[in-house]
Amino acid sequence: MANTYLRDLRTSFSYYRNTYFSNQPDWFEPRPINGAVVFKKEYRDWNLLIPPCGVADRQRIVGKIPKSKRHKHFGSMQSSQALAQSVFGTIEVLGRLPLLATVRAEDGRPAFGPSPDRSDLEFEKSVTTLGEVGDRATSVDVWFEGSYHVAVECKLAEAEFGTCSRTRLKETDDKFEGQFCDGSYAKQRGRQRRCALAELNIDYWEYTESAFGWAANIDHKKCPLRDTYQIVRNVLAACVTDDHRLDENGGHALILYDQRNPAMLPGGRGESQWRDAYGAIQTAGTLRRLSWQSLMAQWPTDEVLDWMKARLKDKYGLHPD
């Protein structure tokens, strides 16, 4: 089923390439037939969907994610980062944020908070409230900044949400001896605290009981953060204030996903991770979910959004739900 999904997705990419870039074959990396469709480094801006607009607006949309923050595979049409920048960069720069106010998540709550029109958007937002430093800092795909925060995690063909990296350390890694975790929440390897990241003064466990009901002062045979790691970080990013309080009324995390992706359907790895986190939430609404298809279906009639909807269909095979 997963293979069928990826094959269909790549068929859409090939159609899009042949339809819109038939005269630019040298813009793409050589790949096997039915393989990934990838722009060469110097042409990766064209992986973005940008409606007809002025040069300045186009440059603003392209510049929403600096090239230094582009993911390794940004040039692939399968890049969820390029998808997120296309949709939300366009919506912000071309003045369509007010049109998100009526969009509802699966639980019926506003997907983008009470006042998306009064928000500023930041892409690849580095969170500074959780005690993380350097390359360990939580990075939010699309961040709605205002009196209310929304941390949007955008997925497309990913097989799962990110898990805790401490369980994946190899013996050859220079951090292995002091930071490796066997997946349980218990003191290990001579550490003073149960979590290897807490030992590094990262603050997730300061908030887990209030946010998810997971007590920090007892052992857990299976660490509840091991598989929910990325989702939990997004919830805390949205709800932990600058003065290190958990404010469940101040924001929420939103997951955007492709409802065709088997990983996000019942029985899939991503769905299981979502259910573990969503089922533990202590304050309803701090974690919400919405498919790309449902997002598109809820867009009002508008020339910019109509253009985007047509191109999302052509490129990704996404149809409004």
Side-chain angles (χ1 to χ4, degrees), residues 114 144 172 189 244 248 297 320:
F144 282 66
T172 53
R189 312 184 75 81
H244 306 288
E248 294 98 327

Side-chain angles (χ1 to χ4, degrees), residues 17-236:
R17 170 182 172 170
N18 293 336
T19 300
Y20 295 101
F21 298 97
S22 59
N23 295 325
Q24 289 87 19
D26 58 334
W27 286 16
F28 297 88
E29 295 181 1
R31 297 281 177 145
I33 294 175
N34 300 323
V37 179
V38 183
F39 286 92
K40 291 179 179 177
K41 186 174 182 179
E42 60 268 36
Y43 299 108
R44 287 178 183 170
D45 290 355
W46 291 95
N47 200 21
L48 297 171
L49 299 177
I50 301 177
C53 60
V55 173
D57 283 339
R58 180 180 179 85
Q59 290 177 339
R60 286 180 62 202
I61 294 171
V62 170
K64 280 296 170 180
I65 298 180
K67 292 184 179 180
S68 62
K69 289 190 174 183
R70 286 180 173 178
H71 295 166
K72 179 180 179 181
H73 299 294
F74 181 87
S76 171
M77 289 194 186
Q78 197 168 304
S79 166
S80 55
Q81 187 186 42
L83 171 59
Q85 186 178 354
S86 296
V87 172
F88 291 102
T90 292
I91 284 174
E92 183 192 28
V93 171
L94 299 188
R96 266 56 184 186
L97 276 176
L99 301 182
L100 294 181
T102 59
V103 176
R104 299 285 163 172
E106 291 177 353
D107 63 2
R109 293 179 171 87
F112 299 98
S115 52
D117 56 318
R118 295 196 294 273
S119 298
D120 293 320
L121 265 57
E122 184 175 343
F123 295 75
E124 301 302 323
K125 163 77 172 179
S126 293
V127 176
T128 60
T129 56
L130 300 176
E132 304 161 313
V133 295
D135 60 4
R136 284 197 296 267
T138 295
S139 180
V140 177
D141 292 343
V142 184
W143 176 260
F144 282 66
E145 173 64 43
S147 59
Y148 186 94
H149 296 144
V150 183
V152 185
E153 180 67 31
C154 299
K155 298 296 187 189
L156 179 61
E158 287 85 350
E160 63 178 4
F161 293 97
T163 59
C164 181
S165 61
R166 301 306 93 178
T167 62
R168 301 195 304 272
L169 290 174
K170 306 296 184 184
E171 291 187 19
T172 53
D173 195 298
D174 59 4
K175 300 175 183 176
F176 180 86
E177 189 60 35
Q179 296 184 29
F180 176 73
C181 175
D182 65 9
S184 66
Y185 182 69
K187 292 180 181 178
Q188 304 169 40
R189 312 184 75 81
R191 294 191 289 262
Q192 297 301 305
R193 303 182 71 174
R194 291 178 172 89
C195 173
L197 295 174
E199 191 88 347
L200 298 173
N201 296 315
I202 295 174
D203 296 335
Y204 310 143
W205 282 97
E206 298 296 318
Y207 310 104
T208 53
E209 186 162 11
S210 295
F212 293 92
W214 300 327
N217 61 349
I218 62 172
D219 290 354
H220 297 274
K221 185 175 181 181
K222 178 183 177 182
C223 177
L225 262 66
R226 176 177 179 173
D227 294 334
T228 60
Y229 181 72
Q230 186 178 41
I231 300 174
V232 167
R233 292 170 89 196
N234 276 266
V235 172
L236 297 183

